[in-house]
Amino acid sequence: MTMLDDRQTAAPWPTAYPQGYAVVDVETTGLARDDRIISAAVYRLDALGNVEDHWYTLVNPERDPGPVWIHGLTSDVLEGAPLFPEVAEELSARLADRVLVAHNAAFDWSMIAREYARASVVAPVEHRLCTIALAKELRLPLPNHKLATLAAHFGVVQQQAHHALDDARVLAEAFRPSLHAAARGGVRLPLLECRPLTEWSDSPVAPRVGYQPSRQTSWRPSRKRPACPYPNPGRYEKEKPLQQGMRVAFSGDTSIDRELLEDRAIEAGLHVATSVSRLTSLLVTNDPDAATSKTQKAKSFGTPILEESAFTHLLRDVAPADGAVLPQQAQPPSSE
């Protein structure tokens, strides 16, 4: 693949493109409405995608840090970190007058907007750009839209996945050639408007990390899903990644819409099961003590049980099925 020089582009730069970007990554205690940011990183880029500077901070969430085995940030590490209101001004200075760029930008923006609202400050962000959406606009030949896959496509090496500073660096390096490709092809950037929250009311402390009862229930017809193409590798083992082909069952309320959560699992190569059996790799539930048939069967079979927040973090990096090639090991596809 031919890489463009960092300081040049092969085509006239569209005058309608933004004049600056803030590439952002945040690590959080989970993915639910009341979860908190525990670290944040920003790479500021100029109009051509060149790095101007970068910034990183830990943030004390004033609560359990969530799945430590994913992000590595323990309560002891975060105890002396600043609270979000103490870093809000610095973060604002780095976001102001720039397009917020993130991988799955809706998530990063929602977490940032909520933290600003808790601090009674308005986030200075008007537009965001999701690099997943941009990759789709560019029709990049990617087997999936994980950050690691996008990085491998552009020859960017990850050094420490789930560390906000390194994830932001990787994304900044992958965004620059994406931006140049869009300019060469006259591709419209998929910008979306950001509407900051102006007020916030914390819900009562949830009994478990990432748990948020559903506010409404609805009936929907069951959908016929495609068969999982990967063999079942067996049960999930703690502190190891999920693997394609694992059979996953869900029980109880989830903070993310159940259908969306199941779609994410299937897209990652997992088998979504409607019941628990001896072949089930893990059960996802925010209330493992509930006397449901699924939780009772899981306990009787010795099936591992994970909370939703831990499961969704693990979904970011599902290991390939046995015999498959890791995206990082694959050679970046050639392009003209």
Side-chain angles (χ1 to χ4, degrees), residues 146-202:
K146 298 178 184 178
L147 177 57
T149 305
L150 181 67
H153 176 78
F154 288 114
V156 180
V157 178
Q158 280 190 305
Q159 297 176 351
Q160 191 174 356
H162 301 307
H163 187 289
L165 184 60
D166 194 60
D167 281 352
R169 174 193 62 81
V170 168
L171 188 57
E173 292 185 19
F175 174 64
R176 183 171 58 250
S178 298
L179 184 63
H180 290 183
R184 290 197 307 271
V187 174
R188 176 192 63 84
L189 296 183
L191 301 179
L192 293 177
E193 181 183 1
C194 289
R195 297 183 178 180
L197 297 174
T198 56
E199 59 183 34
W200 181 265
S201 177
D202 280 312

Side-chain angles (χ1 to χ4, degrees), residues 232-236 245-250 271-284 294 297-298 301-305:
N232 185 353
R235 290 180 173 175
Y236 166 74
M246 283 186 169
R247 296 176 66 96
V248 182
F250 298 90
H271 176 125
V272 173
T274 57
S275 60
V276 174
S277 72
R278 296 183 185 278
L279 298 178
T280 304
S281 302
L282 72 154
L283 174 68
V284 178
K294 289 182 181 178
K297 285 184 178 180
F301 295 146
T303 303
I305 298 176

